[in-house]
């Protein structure tokens, strides 16, 4: 049993390393599709080819969605392979949180939701990985917006203490569909969503919260 487990762990690690190394090969052609589609959309609009704009919009949206899914899978693989590096810098936490609100505003409005942000700190500058902090916030707020309709998504940023260390707590709450105790137990399992009907209705890979926890612990 010990040998079988070791072999399984080795195979899983090899898979994670392979996917992490494949990130460039997977992203590059998709970024080309996104870039060229955007150029064609602009040209179609400028030249008055209105019939082309809507299908090009669909290609663009589908490509962006596919890139998001690929990024999630690759991020998890890089985390499992130990290849995630943090780039620490000093930045404004208020500015980052406002950027998150602005970025998710379209998703919120699509479901008739209102986003409320409250930053309750006696300081503004923090030293961390700006990109990863934003990714964590976007994952939480996007989830809340996705599973809530005609409701409210609240973001609260507070100072807290964990094991005598000062920490920042980003708390996101919503008035959405909620979860059972059993579903909460599976919350941070990769590739897992509440149930199959959730996957069918709302889509996604079920990786967002697993990645969020990994990144939070890493930071």
């Amino acid at each position: 049993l010990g040998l079988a487990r070791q072999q399984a762990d080795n195979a899983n690690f090899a898979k994670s390393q392979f996917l992490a190394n494949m990130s460039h090969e997977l992203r590059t052609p998709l970024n080309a599709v996104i870039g060229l589609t955007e150029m064609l959309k602009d040209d179609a609009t400028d030249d008055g080819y209105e019939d082309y704009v809507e299908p090009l919009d669909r290609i663009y949206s589908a490509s962006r969605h596919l890139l998001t899914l690929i990024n999630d899978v690759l991020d998890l693989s890089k985390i499992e392979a130990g290849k995630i590096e943090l780039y620490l810098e000093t930045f404004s936490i208020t500015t980052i949180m406002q950027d998150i609100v602005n970025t998710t505003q379209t998703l919120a409005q699509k479901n008739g939701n209102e986003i409320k942000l409250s930053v309750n700190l006696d300081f503004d500058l923090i030293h961390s990985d700006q990109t990863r902090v934003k990714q964590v916030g976007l994952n939480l707020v996007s989830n809340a917006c996705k599973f809530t309709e005609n409701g409210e998504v609240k973001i609260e940023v507070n100072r807290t203490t964990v094991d005598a260390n000062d920490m920042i707590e980003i708390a996101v709450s919503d008035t959405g569909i909620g979860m059972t105790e059993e579903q909460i137990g599976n919350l941070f399992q990769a590739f897992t969503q509440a149930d199959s009907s959730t996957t069918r209705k709302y889509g996604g890979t079920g990786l967002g919260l697993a990645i969020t926890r990994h990144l939070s612990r890493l930071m």
Side-chain angles (χ1 to χ4, degrees):
L1 284 174
L3 179 62
R5 179 172 179 172
Q6 183 63 48
Q7 288 172 338
D9 286 344
N10 289 343
N12 189 51
F13 183 72
K15 173 219 63 174
S16 296
Q17 280 199 311
F18 169 75
L19 282 174
N21 291 333
M22 280 291 289
S23 61
H24 179 71
E25 284 74 8
L26 286 168
R27 284 187 178 111
T28 299
L30 194 50
N31 279 324
V33 171
I34 291 169
L36 288 169
T37 305
E38 203 165 15
M39 288 169 57
L40 288 170
K41 271 173 57 185
D42 291 342
D43 288 346
T45 303
D46 292 343
D47 297 340
Y49 294 115
E50 294 300 324
D51 290 349
Y52 294 166
V53 174
E54 193 273 336
L56 286 169
D57 256 336
R58 276 191 284 157
I59 295 171
Y60 179 77
S61 297
S63 300
R64 294 290 308 178
H65 180 60
L66 182 57
L67 184 60
T68 302
L69 298 179
I70 287 173
N71 283 339
D72 278 352
V73 173
L74 293 175
D75 265 350
L76 188 69
S77 297
K78 283 202 287 186
I79 288 166
E80 289 178 345
K83 291 198 170 187
I84 288 279
E85 292 182 21
L86 297 181
Y87 299 95
L88 303 179
E89 55 187 321
T90 301
F91 58 91
S92 162
I93 184 66
T94 306
T95 301
I96 283 291
M97 297 314 298
Q98 193 56 58
D99 283 350
I100 290 167
V101 172
N102 295 339
T103 303
T104 51
Q105 201 64 249
T106 304
L107 182 58
Q109 289 169 354
K110 180 183 171 189
N111 282 358
N113 297 320
E114 182 183 4
I115 302 178
K116 291 184 177 178
L117 171 64
S118 173
V119 180
N120 311 306
L121 300 172
D122 54 1
F123 57 89
D124 186 45
L125 296 180
I126 68 170
H127 191 68
S128 188
D129 187 313
Q130 187 171 181
T131 302
R132 296 304 182 180
V133 170
K134 190 170 183 180
Q135 184 178 358
V136 164
L138 281 172
N139 274 342
L140 295 175
V141 178
S142 299
N143 251 23
C145 289
K146 185 164 73 167
F147 293 105
T148 304
E149 288 185 13
N150 303 312
E152 183 180 88
V153 174
K154 267 203 254 182
I155 313 165
E156 291 186 276
V157 184
N158 298 295
R159 181 201 288 257
T160 187
T161 305
V162 179
D163 298 330
N165 293 314
D166 273 344
M167 308 285 277
I168 290 175
E169 178 184 76
I170 300 172
V172 178
S173 57
D174 62 67
T175 57
I177 60 175
M179 289 175 289
T180 64
E181 287 298 321
E182 184 182 353
Q183 289 166 350
I184 290 171
N186 293 325
L187 202 54
F188 296 104
Q189 298 300 312
F191 302 103
T192 302
Q193 288 193 331
D195 53 46
S196 58
S197 64
T198 303
T199 308
R200 283 196 303 274
K201 182 174 180 182
Y202 298 99
T205 56
L207 293 177
L209 290 180
I211 290 169
T212 295
R213 184 169 71 165
H214 278 300
L215 292 176
S216 298
R217 287 177 167 174
L218 197 59
M219 290 188 286

